[in-house]
Amino acid sequence: MSRPGIFGPPRDWPAQDLIGLSDELDPDLVVLAYRCGVFPMPLHNAWFPARMGWWSPMRRGVLLPDGLRVTRSLRKSAKHYVTTVDAAFDEVIARCADPRRPHGWIDHDIVDAFTALHHRGVVHSVEAWTPEGNLAGGLYGISVGGLFAGESMFHDPDIGRDASKVALLRLVSAMQRDGQADRIIDVQWRTDHLASLGVIEIDRDEYLGVLDETLALSAPDWAAERGRTDRGGEETGA
């Protein structure tokens, strides 16, 4: 893979989710990939000689901020948590990367690259805390223009009922806060769980067609988000 035009024109991509391979992963490449509609995911235990796969799903899972389904039970759960932004990134990504999680895929290369991007202010975490101050759930992802690409989310099975959903609710609030209704949350693939929250599927061509417009939008004001604490659904200053 070479730069620029590292992935080539989309018309030349294979008609499958996996569109490239490499042994290289660095923060700049990750940002470039998302701008091209591509994301990295390691090829653990695969027969491919490369260790990193580059993916652009034929059917992309996306959540439009005004499309989030908030049930009565989720609103009730939200009252039991305090949510923050970028307050515990290292712990969130470590919990998401816990090798004991089923279908875990986040390796040291991913952690290193996204941690570096967090320090640059490009990758952000959202946390959900119990009133006692324990981390109950969270998510992290990369913010490029009006696109937030969610990488992973987790909840603590003992203390975190609905905590990852509550973190998502806070993320959606951040994406909507200044009236930029056309921002998009990319979740890579639609699952039944994500579909229950309002995630839809669009085909690759449609996703790439709206990507440039989305990237041209302003990102949420993450500095302001770090200064907001949501306590039971009511925002306060830091």
Side-chain angles (χ1 to χ4, degrees), residues 12-224:
D12 293 339
W13 294 354
Q16 61 184 35
D17 292 358
L18 179 64
I19 62 105
L21 305 168
S22 77
D23 281 321
E24 179 185 7
L25 181 73
D26 64 62
D28 292 333
L29 181 56
V30 171
V31 175
L32 174 62
Y34 272 105
R35 287 188 171 278
C36 295
V38 179
F39 58 85
M41 184 172 288
L43 295 166
H44 296 150
N45 303 316
W47 60 267
F48 295 112
R51 61 193 176 101
M52 189 60 60
W54 297 92
W55 307 78
S56 184
M58 298 295 292
R59 300 289 294 171
R60 193 85 168 219
V62 298
L63 176 64
L64 305 179
D66 62 359
L68 179 67
R69 294 175 186 163
V70 184
T71 63
R72 182 180 300 177
S73 62
L74 179 54
R75 291 193 184 280
K76 184 176 180 181
S77 292
K79 297 184 181 299
H80 298 287
Y81 296 107
V82 175
T83 60
T84 55
V85 170
D86 289 339
F89 175 82
D90 290 342
E91 188 172 355
V92 168
I93 197 170
R95 296 290 292 272
C96 288
D98 188 337
R100 295 171 297 181
R101 296 184 71 190
H103 312 297
W105 59 273
I106 301 170
D107 63 11
H108 292 297
D109 290 332
I110 294 289
V111 170
D112 289 348
F114 279 81
T115 299
L117 288 171
H118 173 67
H119 292 313
R120 295 186 192 180
V122 178
V123 165
H124 302 278
S125 61
V126 182
E127 302 86 18
W129 308 83
T130 67
E132 296 76 27
N134 297 312
L135 185 62
L139 59 84
Y140 79 94
I142 184 169
S143 175
V144 186
L147 175 72
F148 186 92
E151 285 289 302
S152 187
M153 59 200 308
F154 84 95
H155 74 279
D156 186 305
D158 296 321
I159 62 171
R161 177 183 173 88
D162 288 338
S164 60
K165 296 179 183 178
V166 173
L168 179 61
L169 185 61
R170 173 63 188 275
L171 172 63
V172 167
S173 294
M175 296 289 282
Q176 292 179 317
R177 201 173 307 281
D178 55 3
Q180 289 274 18
D182 293 331
R183 290 179 178 138
I184 291 176
I185 299 172
D186 170 21
V187 300
Q188 301 174 345
W189 286 283
R190 174 187 176 275
T191 65
D192 290 343
H193 170 66
L194 292 173
S196 72
L197 296 171
V199 168
I200 61 173
E201 277 187 336
I202 60 177
D203 65 36
R204 178 195 283 169
D205 289 342
E206 183 179 358
Y207 178 81
L208 296 176
V210 302
L211 182 59
D212 286 344
E213 294 177 4
T214 304
L215 294 175
L217 299 174
S218 64
D221 186 344
W222 294 111

